[in-house]
Amino acid sequence: MDLMLAYDNSRNARITLDAVKEMFGPLNPSITLVSVIEDVGSATSGADDLFNEQYEEQKAGVEAAAAELVAAGIPATVMLAEGDARKMILRATEEKNPDVLVMARHSHQPDHKPLGFITKRIDAIVEEFDHMTFGSVSAFLARRVKCPVLIIPTHEPAA
Amino acid sequence: MQVSDLFRFRNREIRALHLTWIAFFITFYVWFNMAPLASSILASSDWLTRDDIRLFAIANVALTIPARIIVGMALDKWGPRRVFSVLMVSMAIPTFFFAFGDSKEQLFVSRLVLSSVGASFVVGIHMTALWFKPRHIGFAEGFYAGWGNFGSAAAAMTIPTVALVLYGGDDGWRYAIATSGAIMAIYGVFYWFAITDGPTKDTHKKPRKAAALEVSSFRDLVLLVIFTVPLVGILSILVYRVQMMGYIDGFVASLCYGAIAVVVLYQVWLAIRVNVPILKKGVPKDDRYPFSSVAALNTTYFANFGAELAVVSMLPMFFQETWGLNPVTAGLIASAFAFVNLVARPMGGLVSDRMGNRRFVMLAYMMGIAIGFALMGLLNSSWPLIIAIAITICCSFFVQGAEGATFGIIPSIKRRVTGQIAGMAGAYGNVGAVFYLFIFMFVTPSQFFFIIATGAAVSWLVCYFWLKEPQGGFGEEYVLSSVDQAIAAEARQKIEAEAELAELFTGSEKVTLADRGSSLTLTARFKDLDDLRAALSRIGKRGKEQPAQ
């Protein structure tokens, strides 16, 4: 089966990668890792260098993930894109037409900070707002992607 | 980056962010310390007229455009820390001049000079960009801009109280303005010692030099030239107005016109000189970008930030006179317009990011502005004050959201020239402010609001036809266009050459390789003749050993 995995080299993406290996490994899938490097969103010329830095970092990360899959006996290819994460992943699914798209449920998980109580509240509100209003990447894709979507929860504390 | 990270004061970058937004906040506080006091100033001095105050309001935003250009160059040379400190300390001087000036000319000139303080925005954006990782930079810059811009609201809210209650008397406004200037100067000195240009010594490095924005076709070049002219050309209407009011005579005015014409022609010539060789060679397809999108964003910033600057300058007086309020209340109510900034501007960026269709968001916001200002145009004393305040706040929500949306699109047009695109659009905000405030001298507040509404509607039309939804792309060949790769290769070669040179000239004090126009200049400095001889003999020996090179 053809499986597409949205991978941005974050903690959540690694959780998803492990879940995919565990769940789909026995089915001998071939996996396409899609990684979208988002624009820096800065209004200065320095952003060019910053973007390249981010690009290299993410590229290295996704290639390492692909190598990990190959080492585990799962054929994997990497697809790099630049732009808006949701639109580019949507376009990737339209081009490749995978059997299933797997992604993390993005989360700004609050953790312990100075002024713990207040900051936890603020983060919780921001996160709630995140999910209530316009929808995160996964919500957007769940509504629009034409192939089946699997969204992996990422709320368990990082190992 | 999480919102709560902002409380991590021990992080150096968080501290830098806080120090920088406070600096920006103070400069905006000083920049807009006149509008809320306008009526007090009028009342305390019988040699001032309403027209003078309106002229000062234009002067207050006029020189920001040239100042941005100069500050931009200074940033490349000296880095944001020094530029910001010097700007804050030096701009305290015209603030004092304005505070204690006792003739029209003194007040006018000091406001004109003080308008340079508006360039502080660029400095802080640069500083923020030096401190934050790419993933966090959007949030950091949004936070910086949002809270810093709040300075104008803070001025409207607090400065009448300081002037009338704390100091009191006819000269209260003078002491209030002087105090804000003194605080700015003190903070400028503090800023110098409190911050560095980025986390490491070499974070601040010189960016690629570019004299003018690159474009992709001859049609775009024509558009660029057309859009370059008003940037400085707009100052001519200020000169016209100043001459009409008798501040300067015909001779001085023609000198000013001449100077403006020279600067405009120089900029146009730069645009042509930079672009014609590129266009003749042909721009590769993967490196093209639509300049018409930039043009459309120039008009949106003209119609939103320009309108904001203009409205902030006249709103306190409008409320005071229409509803017969006292200056403190009017200032407080008028500050609602700028106060919304805290939420509205980041919201604009957020909506643009989240909705997935930036063009649609931009169009919706511009439509909102047009409707909002049209409603404000209908306001008069027969309306309940509370409804007027509600309309003002709603309108402001759209105005500032549109600013956020404009800067939400800019980074995705063409990354290599983002700084220049942002600079041009930003400057158009000031062009808009000067233009609108010029118009304001001839019309009533209601007509003024209708004119701003029309401006927004025109900008909506331009966006409808010209603004293109930015697209992403797949694969490496899309990410870096061939021209980007050529530039990167050249930079790599330069670094290699520098390393080779450093090896050749070991023992010399300093070796630099610099671009001078179309050629390279190599500078090496030696302590004395012996060192130079040693270096020369090394080069000679190397040359003999490797005749092939």
Side-chain angles (χ1 to χ4, degrees):
Chain A
M1 72 184 293
D2 280 333
L3 195 148
M4 186 174 270
L5 174 61
Y7 190 89
D8 66 352
N9 196 33
S10 64
R11 160 190 171 270
N12 293 351
R14 278 190 292 278
I15 292 174
T16 319
L17 184 70
D18 290 340
V20 162
K21 272 199 285 193
E22 200 177 305
M23 281 196 275
F24 294 95
L27 298 174
N28 295 325
S30 74
I31 297 181
T32 310
L33 292 161
V34 183
S35 195
V36 184
I37 298 97
E38 294 199 63
D39 275 315
V40 171
S42 155
T44 60
S45 313
D48 197 9
D49 296 338
L50 293 174
F51 179 85
N52 293 339
E53 201 177 290
Q54 183 176 322
Y55 185 89
E56 290 307 326
E57 193 186 310
Q58 207 162 319
K59 190 178 166 201
V62 71
E63 275 167 2
E68 199 182 312
L69 285 173
V70 172
I74 304 169
T77 52
V78 170
M79 210 171 166
L80 280 168
E82 170 217 7
D84 183 289
R86 294 158 307 163
K87 284 190 232 165
M88 296 319 290
I89 297 174
L90 182 61
R91 262 173 62 184
T93 59
E94 279 161 7
E95 276 175 31
K96 291 261 166 168
N97 227 347
D99 294 320
V100 60
L101 169 71
V102 186
M103 60 194 316
R105 178 186 174 281
H106 182 59
S107 138
H108 295 285
Q109 201 185 12
D111 45 36
H112 295 291
K113 294 282 166 60
L115 298 174
F117 179 73
I118 302 169
T119 55
K120 239 189 235 175
R121 287 295 119 224
I122 293 177
D123 282 331
I125 291 168
V126 170
E127 167 145 1
E128 202 48 47
F129 182 72
D130 243 18
H131 295 296
M132 265 166 56
T133 49
F134 307 105
S136 53
V137 177
S138 50
F140 178 93
L141 288 167
R143 276 185 267 119
R144 306 218 183 178
V145 169
K146 293 200 180 79
C147 66
V149 181
L150 177 64
I151 297 172
I152 311 273
T154 51
H155 281 304
E156 67 261 48
Chain B
M1 187 164 168
Q2 291 166 6
V3 176
S4 60
D5 284 338
L6 292 168
F7 292 99
R8 298 189 152 194
F9 300 109
R10 282 170 182 226
N11 280 13
R12 292 178 66 219
E13 70 260 26
I14 296 296
R15 218 162 43 210
L17 177 63
H18 287 301
L19 286 171
T20 306
W21 80 252
I22 293 170
F24 179 40
F25 178 92
I26 294 175
T27 56
F28 260 51
Y29 191 96
V30 171
W31 195 19
F32 287 103
N33 61 14
M34 186 185 75
L37 295 174
S39 53
S40 316
I41 297 174
L42 257 181
S44 76
S45 13
D46 46 8
W47 37 270
L48 271 179
T49 63
R50 183 166 302 268
D51 272 353
D52 287 322
I53 293 283
R54 289 183 173 188
L55 182 69
F56 296 163
I58 306 183
N60 202 28
V61 290
L63 286 193
T64 313
I65 306 161
R68 268 169 178 264
I69 299 172
I70 295 166
V71 160
M73 292 190 292
L75 276 178
D76 292 348
K77 203 165 167 63
W78 291 299
R81 162 180 153 254
R82 288 190 245 183
V83 173
F84 221 153
S85 288
V86 169
L87 188 73
M88 281 193 276
V89 173
S90 60
M91 281 304 131
I93 297 166
T95 314
F96 295 142
F97 257 95
F98 182 79
F100 300 111
D102 48 13
S103 76
K104 286 180 188 183
E105 287 76 15
Q106 283 178 10
L107 296 195
F108 174 71
V109 170
S110 55
R111 267 296 143 183
L112 200 59
V113 175
L114 187 55
S115 63
S116 317
V117 85
S120 59
F121 175 71
V122 195
V123 192
I125 280 286
H126 197 96
M127 179 62 102
T128 316
L130 291 179
W131 275 96
F132 283 88
K133 291 200 189 85
R135 268 176 203 277
H136 303 150
I137 202 165
F139 178 78
E141 285 186 354
F143 180 80
Y144 158 80
W147 279 87
N149 264 353
F150 180 51
S152 62
M157 280 195 287
T158 59
I159 215 163
T161 315
V162 174
L164 302 178
V165 181
L166 211 63
Y167 289 112
D170 266 0
D171 282 345
W173 67 269
R174 293 182 187 275
Y175 296 119
I177 285 178
T179 308
S180 67
I183 291 172
M184 180 165 74
I186 293 167
Y187 193 80
V189 175
F190 169 71
Y191 194 76
W192 179 289
F193 294 105
I195 203 170
T196 53
D197 285 334
T200 57
K201 250 188 193 168
D202 52 351
T203 312
H204 165 68
K205 51 196 170 197
K206 286 183 189 178
R208 248 193 321 278
K209 265 183 234 125
L213 187 59
E214 291 171 29
V215 291
S216 317
S217 71
F218 280 101
R219 179 182 161 272
D220 285 357
L221 180 58
V222 173
L223 263 185
L224 172 65
V225 167
I226 292 172
F227 272 86
T228 303
V229 174
L231 282 181
V232 176
I234 192 80
L235 292 179
S236 58
I237 67 171
L238 174 71
V239 176
Y240 167 76
R241 189 63 218 183
V242 172
Q243 189 194 355
M244 240 170 80
M245 293 187 65
Y247 282 78
I248 53 175
D249 57 20
F251 177 68
V252 180
S254 5
L255 278 184
C256 294
Y257 286 131
I260 292 167
V262 167
V263 175
V264 169
L265 284 177
Y266 179 67
Q267 284 186 320
V268 167
W269 181 71
L270 278 182
I272 292 171
R273 197 190 65 171
V274 167
N275 280 300
V276 166
I278 298 175
L279 292 175
K280 270 192 180 153
K281 216 167 70 185
V283 180
K285 211 168 182 188
D286 57 356
D287 196 50
R288 288 189 194 159
Y289 75 95
F291 183 78
S292 51
S293 281
V294 180
L297 294 176
N298 288 345
T299 69
T300 63
Y301 216 58
F302 180 101
N304 55 47
F305 192 62
E308 185 192 337
L309 287 183
V311 168
V312 164
S313 306
M314 55 75 71
L315 208 54
M317 225 166 168
F318 169 71
F319 271 107
Q320 197 179 337
E321 285 170 2
T322 312
W323 282 276
L325 306 167
N326 66 33
V328 175
T329 322
L332 267 177
I333 292 174
S335 72
F337 192 90
F339 186 73
V340 185
N341 211 336
L342 286 185
V343 187
R345 193 170 170 138
M347 184 87 165
L350 193 72
V351 173
S352 181
D353 283 348
R354 289 300 178 83
M355 289 283 271
N357 189 340
R358 293 177 189 273
R359 179 173 176 272
F360 173 78
V361 171
M362 193 75 244
L363 286 171
Y365 265 120
M366 292 319 287
M367 183 64 88
I369 297 178
I371 295 170
F373 276 124
L375 283 177
M376 284 181 81
L378 296 174
L379 292 178
N380 57 43
S381 56
S382 66
W383 290 64
L385 186 57
I386 189 81
I387 302 286
I389 296 172
I391 290 177
T392 308
I393 290 177
C394 289
C395 182
S396 166
F397 213 86
F398 279 100
V399 171
Q400 283 148 2
E403 289 159 19
T406 302
F407 273 83
I409 300 179
I410 283 173
S412 44
I413 293 181
K414 180 78 195 156
R415 191 174 315 97
R416 180 154 46 83
V417 289
T418 289
Q420 283 170 298
I421 295 175
M424 189 172 192
Y428 256 87
N430 282 85
V431 174
V434 173
F435 178 77
Y436 283 140
L437 285 171
F438 175 72
I439 298 280
F440 182 54
M441 303 194 77
F442 304 102
V443 298
T444 65
S446 302
Q447 289 168 328
F448 181 63
F449 287 129
F450 282 123
I451 289 166
I452 300 180
T454 315
V458 170
S459 168
W460 184 90
L461 268 183
V462 174
C463 286
Y464 186 80
F465 289 110
W466 279 359
L467 186 62
K468 291 190 185 63
E469 177 70 15
Q471 290 276 334
F474 280 105
E476 210 166 1
E477 68 272 27
Y478 291 101
V479 173
L480 287 177
S481 74
S482 49
V483 175
D484 283 327
Q485 275 167 342
I487 289 171
E490 196 180 314
R492 258 199 314 278
Q493 278 172 0
K494 204 179 141 188
I495 289 169
E496 280 167 19
E498 266 172 358
E500 214 169 296
L501 282 171
E503 195 188 312
L504 277 181
F505 288 101
T506 33
S508 67
E509 278 191 327
K510 198 176 130 194
V511 185
T512 54
L513 196 58
D515 288 307
R516 291 268 188 280
S518 57
S519 61
L520 290 171
T521 306
L522 169 66
T523 320
R525 203 165 61 199
F526 296 94
K527 230 182 245 137
D528 49 32
L529 209 56
D530 289 342
D531 276 1
L532 175 60
R533 282 227 176 107
L536 280 178
S537 70
R538 261 202 310 278
I539 298 173
K541 216 162 82 191
R542 232 179 102 109
K544 270 172 225 152
E545 280 168 7
Q546 299 168 309
Q549 279 192 339

